[in-house]
Structures are given as structure tokens and as C-alpha cells.
Amino acid sequence: MKVALIGVGQAGGKVTERLVRFDADMGFDAIQGGFVVNSAKADLQSLEFVDTQLIGADRVNGHGVGGDNELGAEIMQSDIDQVIGGLDGRITSSADAIFVVAGLGGGTGSGGAPVLVNNLQRIYDIPVYALGILPGRNEGSLYQANAGRSLKTIIREADSTLLVDNDAWHEQGESVEGAFETINENIAQRVGLLFASGEGMDGVGESVVDSSEVINTLRGGGVAALGYASELAADNSEENIRTVMNVSRQSLLTGTSLPDATTADSALLVIAGDPDVIPRKGVEKSRRWLEDETGSMQVRGGDFPLQSDRVAALVLLGGVERSDRIDEFMERAREAQKQQDEPNEDPAEQFADDRLENLF
Ligand code: GDP
């Protein structure tokens, strides 16, 4: 599918840039250019492959909002005409959807992304989705509280919100910075493949996925998650039935962006690889397995022809907001909100706690 990507804030900007680079390196041409908006000038200056726009210069003078997501929302609203103007000509009639990308735990992205989505919905007829990054368990309480509020708002505004939990898609024990690198790279590869898989070249075959299948899978709204796994292809078709089943299982059970979210309203299974080695029987068996596992009657399936010696499964899940993972996160966010509302008696102690949490 052809998408217009707009990153908001630091994480939103970095992930947008990574996606744009992956799409260009692979020659997919699914992303119509990335655009990044931030209130922190230094964060924008570190981006090379996307166009950028500074907002809120009159309020924060290019220094960012420092985790104040209400200020992030206000700045986005007061500069919305400039932002929408900056997008003019970038969201062309060939775009199938818009994705607004943001870390939900910070300030500019957390507050600004829901405001931007709301405004884009009024202007454009194509779906406006969010790609939101949830703070991991060990991130500070301000991040958790911000993300809780932002998530509730963005779910309401966006046509669907694809979530990536910062505790998924990286190895345990990595440093925060190292983990961000890995997570961003994984987001770029996996979400980038999803965009490209929905490109569905005409005439390649009925089993090839197209953009309407991605859009229909996300049609119910709420929260979406994406799973991914890959394996070397075997050299005979009987064994590749097993390979396809294996990668599909791993993709859902251990490879999703929202760990343990396996109950869904709808799903799309995309098997990517050399069309000569992907057995139809394997795709069909995996699709049926996915129906049982997700409890959804709406499981679509298709191929993404790609020259590779590996076979990969991408599983897009729609309507996972009732999963335990989301409940657990919302509980964490409520607790964090309480802590924010009732500051510790001793401000020095409170500061030390937050610092420790943030250091991890
Ligand atoms: P903003 O610039 O005010 O919007 O704030 P950030 O984008 O820095 O948002 C902070 C949240 O995003 C926290 O939960 C961080 O852990 C997360 N975050 C910051 N940078 C990155 C990144 O490069 N990758 C990922 N995956 N998360 C990030």
C-alpha cells in the first residue's frame, strides 16, 4: 500500500526516518516520503532522510516540551495550520493511508500525535492510522502516565492504532540506547514489509496481498499489533509446508509487537518469500490455524513475492485492545498517574526514584 508517513517527536522522527530508509534500500517505493514534526530543534537536526518542521518555537524556542504532553498537544493545535500546510502536496491521490508515528510516553509525540490525527481526519478521506510506541515496563512513571493518556485519546481519533511495546522486538539485557537501535530497525523492517506487501502488483496472481486487505483487517478500529518471524526456506515443497506453518506460529506466539496479544477481531497472514517455494497448502493450513488461535472468523491470507532464500510470516492483528497486555499496561499507567498526582513527601527522594527508573 502507498502510505504517507508523519513522525511526531523524537521517537516518531527516528522511526519514520528508519522506515523511509528501509523502503528506499529495498526499492519498495511504498512510502511517499516522510515528514517529521517536533518542538525540539536538535532532534530534527539529527534527521537526514526526511523533511522536517519545527513547531512551538514561540513557546519553547526549539527546546522541546520536556515530557509535558499537555504542552505538546497545545503546541500542535496552535501550529496546526503550518503543519497541515507543510503536508500539502505530500499526501497525493495515490496514497492509500496515512500513518502518524509517535512514542506515546514523551511530550511532543504523546500530546501532539492525537491532535494531528484528529485534524488529518477532517481533511483526508483515506484512513488515518497511528503507529504508537508504548514505554517498556522499566521506563519511568512519567512515560507510563503520559502513554496511558495518549493511548486512550489516539485510539479514539485514529482509524486503528498499531502498537509496538518497547519490551518486544529486542533482546533482554541490551542497553536502552542499544535496544532503541534494535527496536527501530525491527519496526522499519516489519512495518516496512507490511506497507510493501500491500502494494499487490497487478497481474502477479490472485493470492498476492493488496492494500484493501490491510485496510479491511484494520477496519474495526481499536488497537492493532504486528507479528513477524522468518526461517531459511527448505529445498522441497513438502518441507516448506512445515516452514510456513512454523514461521506463522512463531510470528503470532513469540514475534508480536504486543507480546501475548493473540485474541483478535481480525487478522491478516502474509507469507513473504520466493513464490516458487511458498506452498499454497502451507499458507491455507496456517491461515486456518490462525483462525483457531485468534478466535477470529475474519482471517485473511496471501503472499508477498520477494526474492529471498528465507520465508517470512507477517501477522497483522486487528482489535486486540481486550488483551491482557493492554490491561496490564493501563493498570501500570493508572498507578503512575496516581504517583504523578500525589508527589512524594520528600521531593529529593521522588527525584532519585525517577532518575533510577529513567536510567534503566
Ligand atoms: P517527544 O520527543 O517529546 O515526543 O518524546 P520521545 O519521542 O522521546 O518519547 C519518549 C518515549 O519514546 C519513551 O517511552 C522512550 O522510551 C521512547 N523512545 C524514545 N526514543 C526512542 C527510539 O528511538 N525508539 C523507540 N523504540 N522508543 C523511543
Side-chain angles (χ1 to χ4, degrees), residues 8-15 18 37-40 43 64-69 72 101-113 133-136 139-140 142-144 146-147 164-168 170 176-177 179-185 187 358 360:
V8 188
Q10 179 184 215
K14 286 198 284 180
V15 169
R18 243 351 214 280
V37 182
N38 203 340
S39 62
D43 290 343
V65 298
D68 181 345
N69 67 353
V101 188
L104 300 185
T108 306
S110 173
I133 297 163
L134 276 190
E139 293 192 38
L142 178 62
Y143 287 156
Q144 311 291 349
N146 282 352
V164 178
D165 187 321
N166 260 347
D167 285 336
H170 72 95
V176 178
E177 282 304 311
F180 281 170
E181 276 297 300
T182 314
I183 299 166
N184 296 356
E185 200 176 304
I187 296 176
N358 282 323
F360 189 93

Side-chain angles (χ1 to χ4, degrees), residues 89-101:
R90 291 169 197 277
I91 305 176
T92 67
S93 58
S94 64
D96 297 305
I98 303 171
F99 272 82
V100 173
V101 188

Side-chain angles (χ1 to χ4, degrees), residues 1-5 30-33 90 94-99 195:
M1 71 205 280
K2 289 261 185 264
V3 299
L5 268 192
I31 299 176
Q32 292 198 324
R90 291 169 197 277
S94 64
D96 297 305
I98 303 171
F99 272 82
F195 292 161

